[in-house]
């Protein structure tokens, strides 16, 4: 009985029960749910699947294999850490929707068919938007609506794709959707639509800006939840449906590169983390595109460790926002005096994401890089190497430097609350442990691997060279004053197209329609006026036919008429 | 002080690389100091390009609020 319970369902049902708890216990309840659900997942036997017939369709609501299991584990861990971090939140809606979001994301990675995937896909979109609305500002409301439109749009594309795909192949099973050649050119329209739906959630270039637009508007705790699930669900879906798709290599490289330039100039530090998140997804997408066992292992391992250190970075920036009320780099600096623990945890996250040896990022990224080398993708390797320096710039240095060091802002505040420090501390310990002992993580990967990240000492040394010389360049830039100063400002991105250009066009089109309407109305008025004038001329009070004529002329006319008719009669 | 520590760490790493060679997959990887130079130049270029980009794309914070 326990075994047939779909993973995630405990959290979904439990979320509904949270409001029944006393107000003070709801946050604890939200923390308990993913813990209970994780215990249930561990008890599940290794490879079960549940099939049901529904309305003539054969559905597989639960499919447990190695790929879904590792995402299931990390989603649970992320949920537990985020719920611990959110222990102070008293907003019930936030707890309930966060748990709905978590439960549906977990359900989605265990979905064995496309319809189940679609259902969970939409629930993640609908529930997560409340984490943005919960900030209760005009900006967050508007950003939330934009986020919802794009996320639901992705769901609509997914559903259309699923229906077409079902007509083509007669099966709803969610397995590899791309052909063995890995070419999108041979794929059907249905598969293309599914690919596009995944691509939106995965923040492909030009489809990415919902991420940087919405996440920085979420609450302190909401952003921690958001950073973990939506995009990594997309990574899972791509790894399941599109491994070895050639196009993904190019898409991934572009994804690793363009956000790093935006991250340099962005002032909102949580938005910097969003650009960084986008760049990290690029590494995973490259791995999926290469599609070898080692590359897929790399992509999945990267997703696993990324959820932890990105969560840690969002937690530390959230703690700064919680204590100081601002997250603008231009307002911050010197906080290490007030928040030493948060500073230390943030640095662990920064070193992990930059892939310092002995930190978690290194053991995952090395797998992907080795797969790139193995396939001899020279340009991809060069691109990822530039992107690695970029990660060091925005996440390794900029985030900790502008928040905790740099110019002293004069802000003196309290250290982050205990439960936040505990959540950050636990995450930091995981980041370091995985860096030292990657064995257990490697054992969970979808394919067996004998990879040894520290076998080649020269590899670690050159990686340290790359990172420390990049840090040196940063120091030189700051000392010479060449580094651009942080100013209160925003940066335009593709959201400008739909927040500025499209409304401006719409306004232009509406105003020209209005002009056409106006001239039409004018023409009708003009014609009416002419007609009226003509009628009045003849029939009006002063008109020809209303004149008072002398009786004599009337008699004359009658005589003429009668005379004429008489003549006609005789003719 | 931190700057000096950073410089000496960098020097130490270049010396270490000469002792412990990296297993090179691409020919350029075996050039001494390749990764050091790559890291320095990449970050420098990223910041300079980003700065340029900022000149075109930066707006006031209330740009979208009307």
């Amino acid at each position: 009985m326990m075994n047939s319970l779909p993973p995630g369902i405990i959290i979904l049902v439990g979320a509904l029960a949270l409001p029944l708890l006393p107000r003070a216990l709801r946050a604890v309840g939200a923390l308990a749910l993913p813990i209970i659900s994780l215990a249930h997942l561990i008890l599940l036997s290794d490879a079960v699947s549940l099939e049901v017939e529904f309305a003539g369709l054969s559905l597989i609501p639960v499919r447990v294999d190695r790929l879904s299991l590792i995402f299931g584990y990390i989603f649970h861990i992320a949920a537990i850490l985020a719920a611990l971090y959110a222990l102070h939140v008293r907003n019930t809606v936030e707890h309930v929707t966060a748990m709905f979001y978590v439960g549906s994301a977990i359900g989605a990675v265990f979905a064995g068919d496309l319809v189940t995937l679609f259902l969970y896909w939409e629930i993640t979109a609908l529930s997560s938007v409340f984490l943005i609305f919960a900030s209760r500002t005009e900006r967050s409301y508007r950003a939330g609506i934009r986020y919802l439109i794009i996320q639901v749009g992705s769901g609509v594309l997914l559903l259309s794709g699923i229906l077409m795909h079902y007509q083509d192949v007669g099966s709803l099973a969610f397995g590899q959707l791309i052909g063995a050649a890995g070419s999108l050119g041979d794929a059907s329209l249905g598969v293309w639509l599914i690919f596009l739906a995944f691509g939106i959630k995965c923040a492909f270039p030009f489809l990415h800006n919902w991420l940087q637009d919405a996440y920085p508007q979420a609450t302190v705790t909401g952003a921690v939840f958001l950073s973990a699930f939506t995009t990594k669900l997309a990574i899972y879906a791509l790894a399941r449906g599109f491994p070895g798709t050639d196009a993904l290599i190019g898409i991934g490289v572009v994804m690793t590169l363009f956000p790093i330039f935006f991250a340099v100039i962005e002032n909102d530090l949580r938005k910097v983390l969003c650009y960084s998140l986008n760049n990290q997804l690029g590494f995973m997408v490259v791995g999926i595109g290469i599609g070898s066992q080692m590359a897929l292992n790399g992509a999945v391992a990267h997703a696993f460790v990324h959820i932890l250190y990105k969560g840690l970075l969002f937690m530390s920036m959230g703690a700064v926002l919680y204590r100081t009320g601002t997250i603008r780099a231009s307002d911050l600096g010197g906080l290490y005096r007030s928040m030493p623990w948060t500073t230390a945890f943030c640095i662990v996250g920064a070193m992990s994401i930059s892939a310092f040896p002995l930190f978690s990022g290194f053991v995952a990224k090395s797998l992907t890089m080795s797969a790139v080398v193995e396939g001899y993708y020279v340009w991809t390797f060069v691109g990822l190497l530039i992107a690695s320096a970029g990660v060091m710039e925005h996440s390794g240095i900029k985030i900790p430097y502008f928040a905790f060091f740099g110019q002293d802002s004069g802000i003196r505040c309290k250290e982050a609350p205990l439960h936040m420090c505990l959540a950050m501390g636990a995450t930091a310990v995981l980041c370091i442990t995985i860096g030292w002992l990657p064995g257990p993580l490697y054992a969970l990967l979808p394919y067996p691997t004998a990879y040894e990240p520290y076998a080649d000492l020269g590899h670690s040394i050159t990686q340290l060279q790359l990172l420390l010389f990049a840090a040196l360049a940063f120091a030189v830039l700051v000392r010479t004053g060449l580094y651009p100063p942080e100013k209160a400002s925003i940066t335009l991105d593709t959201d400008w197209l739909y927040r500025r250009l499209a409304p401006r066009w719409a306004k232009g089109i509406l105003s020209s329609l209005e002009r056409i309407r106006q001239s039409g109305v004018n023409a009708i008025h003009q014609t009416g006026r002419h007609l009226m004038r003509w009628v009045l001329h003849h029939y009006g009070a002063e008109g020809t036919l209303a004149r008072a004529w002398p009786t004599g002329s009337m008699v004359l006319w009658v005589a003429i008429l009668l005379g004429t008719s008489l003549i006609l009669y005789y003719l | 002080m931190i700057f000096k520590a950073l410089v000496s760490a960098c020097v130490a790493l270049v010396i270490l690389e000469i002792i412990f060679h990296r297993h090179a997959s691409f020919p350029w990887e075996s050039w001494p100091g390749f990764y050091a130079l790559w890291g320095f130049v990449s970050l420098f270029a990223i910041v300079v390009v980003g700065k340029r980009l900022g000149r075109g794309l930066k707006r006031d914070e209330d740009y979208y609020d009307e």
Side-chain angles (χ1 to χ4, degrees):
Chain A
M1 176 57 209
M2 260 308 261
N3 270 0
S4 59
L5 217 54
I9 209 84
I10 294 177
I11 301 180
L12 285 171
V13 175
L16 288 177
L18 279 182
L20 303 177
L21 290 174
R23 202 175 178 76
L25 285 180
R26 285 173 198 162
V28 182
L31 174 59
L33 284 175
I35 296 177
I36 299 168
S37 177
L38 179 61
H40 164 246
L41 183 64
I42 291 170
L43 289 175
L44 269 181
S45 54
D46 233 359
V48 293
S49 73
L50 178 71
E51 290 188 36
V52 293
E53 290 281 330
F54 178 74
L57 299 172
S58 73
L59 300 181
I60 313 162
V62 184
R63 176 248 325 263
V64 182
D65 62 7
R66 292 183 68 83
L67 183 59
S68 49
L69 264 179
I70 185 167
F71 276 93
Y73 289 138
I74 189 61
F75 278 3
H76 275 97
I77 296 170
I80 293 167
L81 293 166
L84 176 60
Y85 183 79
L87 218 48
H88 64 283
V89 173
R90 288 290 168 268
N91 179 355
T92 308
V93 175
E94 227 183 310
H95 284 304
V96 173
T97 51
M99 282 304 131
F100 245 85
Y101 178 40
V102 170
S104 52
I106 292 170
V109 297
F110 288 100
D113 68 86
L114 291 162
V115 173
T116 312
L117 177 77
F118 165 76
L119 287 177
Y120 284 128
W121 193 269
E122 287 294 56
I123 302 175
T124 57
L126 296 176
S127 53
S128 58
V129 74
F130 286 92
L131 302 173
I132 299 162
F133 287 153
S135 292
R136 292 182 185 157
T137 59
E138 175 73 18
R139 275 185 194 166
S140 69
Y141 172 72
R142 285 169 177 273
I145 293 290
R146 287 192 293 272
Y147 169 84
L148 195 60
I149 290 172
I150 293 170
Q151 295 296 313
V152 171
S154 141
V156 171
L157 284 177
L158 179 62
L159 185 63
S160 326
I162 292 170
L163 293 176
M164 286 185 185
H165 179 67
Y166 180 63
Q167 288 215 314
D168 289 343
V169 302
S171 158
L172 285 171
F174 181 29
Q176 183 162 343
L177 298 169
I178 193 78
S183 159
L184 271 179
D186 308 335
S188 66
L189 181 60
V191 170
W192 262 93
L193 289 177
I194 297 174
F195 183 73
L196 200 60
F198 290 175
I200 292 175
K201 276 226 192 208
C202 196
F204 281 2
F206 300 109
L207 306 175
H208 67 281
N209 210 194
W210 59 268
L211 173 67
Q212 292 85 356
D213 182 21
Y215 283 11
Q217 301 295 339
T219 60
V220 165
T221 54
V224 177
F225 279 102
L226 286 166
S227 76
F229 300 100
T230 300
T231 49
K232 257 62 71 187
L233 174 56
I235 290 291
Y236 161 80
L238 283 173
R240 173 76 72 189
F242 297 91
T245 305
D246 293 335
L248 287 176
I249 301 176
I251 293 173
V253 173
V254 175
M255 269 170 94
T256 58
L257 290 177
F258 87 87
I260 58 187
F261 301 106
F262 283 90
V264 173
I265 48 177
E266 181 56 55
N267 188 38
D268 180 325
L269 290 179
R270 289 203 299 173
K271 207 166 188 173
V272 172
L273 287 180
C274 291
Y275 279 112
S276 157
L277 171 51
N278 213 168
N279 144 292
Q280 293 281 300
L281 293 170
F283 282 93
M284 301 172 214
V285 169
V286 167
I288 297 168
I290 292 173
S292 64
Q293 291 199 348
M294 186 183 240
L296 287 172
N297 272 347
V300 174
H302 206 147
F304 191 99
V305 296
H306 170 86
I307 286 175
L308 293 172
Y309 54 64
K310 182 60 59 163
L312 179 53
L313 289 168
F314 265 104
M315 284 185 209
S316 64
M317 290 301 108
V320 168
L321 175 60
Y322 182 71
R323 281 304 192 208
T324 67
T326 179
I327 198 60
R328 293 190 197 90
S330 52
D331 297 343
L332 292 169
L335 281 179
Y336 76 93
R337 297 175 186 85
S338 304
M339 307 177 83
W341 285 101
T342 308
T343 307
F345 298 137
C346 178
I347 289 173
V348 172
M351 291 178 83
S352 300
I353 193 171
S354 311
F356 271 86
L358 299 180
F359 287 86
S360 60
F362 182 74
V363 303
K365 209 156 104 183
S366 305
L367 272 174
T368 311
M369 290 306 257
S370 301
V372 172
V373 168
E374 214 176 59
Y376 221 77
Y377 297 94
V378 178
W379 288 108
T380 307
F381 188 80
V382 171
L384 296 189
L385 221 48
I386 297 174
S388 299
V391 180
M392 181 62 184
E393 198 283 325
H394 55 68
S395 296
I397 305 172
K398 179 171 178 170
I399 291 285
Y401 180 78
F402 283 104
F404 301 110
F405 305 99
Q407 207 159 23
D408 186 10
S409 60
I411 298 175
R412 296 292 177 270
C413 59
K414 283 200 279 186
E415 177 60 89
L418 180 65
H419 65 280
M420 284 190 178
C421 282
L422 284 176
M424 287 189 277
T427 318
V429 166
L430 280 171
C431 287
I432 294 171
T433 311
I434 293 171
W436 282 78
L437 304 165
L441 170 64
Y442 287 170
L444 283 177
L445 294 177
Y447 300 101
T449 176
Y451 186 73
E452 279 280 347
Y454 302 116
D456 177 9
L457 187 58
H459 178 201
S460 299
I461 291 170
T462 49
Q463 173 71 5
L464 274 176
Q465 277 187 1
L466 180 91
L467 296 174
L468 288 190
F469 273 86
L472 188 66
F474 181 87
V476 169
L477 284 165
V478 168
R479 286 167 77 99
T480 53
L482 282 173
Y483 197 87
E486 297 297 328
K487 278 191 301 217
S489 60
I490 59 156
T491 312
L492 304 183
D493 197 341
T494 55
D495 59 348
W496 182 82
L497 295 174
Y498 51 83
R499 294 174 70 180
R500 257 303 151 89
L501 189 65
R504 203 179 281 169
W505 278 358
K507 224 179 267 173
I509 290 167
L510 281 181
S511 73
S512 41
L513 282 179
E514 173 59 24
R515 265 203 301 280
I516 292 169
R517 192 191 70 89
Q518 200 59 52
S519 54
V521 167
N522 282 349
I524 292 169
H525 278 183
Q526 203 80 32
T527 324
R529 225 174 285 130
H530 278 301
L531 197 68
M532 207 55 202
R533 205 175 297 146
W534 184 81
V535 168
L536 282 177
H537 181 71
H538 290 283
Y539 300 97
E542 303 286 315
T544 323
L545 296 176
R547 258 182 239 150
W549 291 351
T551 324
S553 68
M554 281 297 284
V555 172
L556 180 69
W557 277 110
V558 169
I560 290 171
L561 278 173
L562 284 174
T564 314
S565 60
L566 198 66
I567 291 162
L568 287 173
Y569 184 74
Y570 280 113
L571 283 176
Chain B
M1 209 278 281
I2 293 176
F3 186 70
K4 274 182 189 157
L6 188 60
V7 172
S8 25
C10 287
V11 173
L13 280 170
V14 174
I15 297 166
L16 273 175
E17 191 207 347
I18 296 166
I19 305 167
F20 301 98
H21 258 306
R22 179 190 167 110
H23 165 75
S25 311
F26 296 111
W28 61 78
E29 283 185 285
S30 51
W31 304 344
F34 166 76
Y35 277 92
L37 196 67
W38 187 276
F40 192 91
V41 172
S42 297
L43 191 133
F44 210 94
I46 288 166
V47 171
V48 170
V49 173
K51 211 171 152 179
R52 274 284 156 78
L53 190 74
R55 267 183 225 152
L57 294 181
K58 286 280 205 182
R59 293 290 184 277
D60 283 340
E61 280 186 324
D62 54 2
Y63 176 74
Y64 287 118
D65 307 333
E66 272 166 18

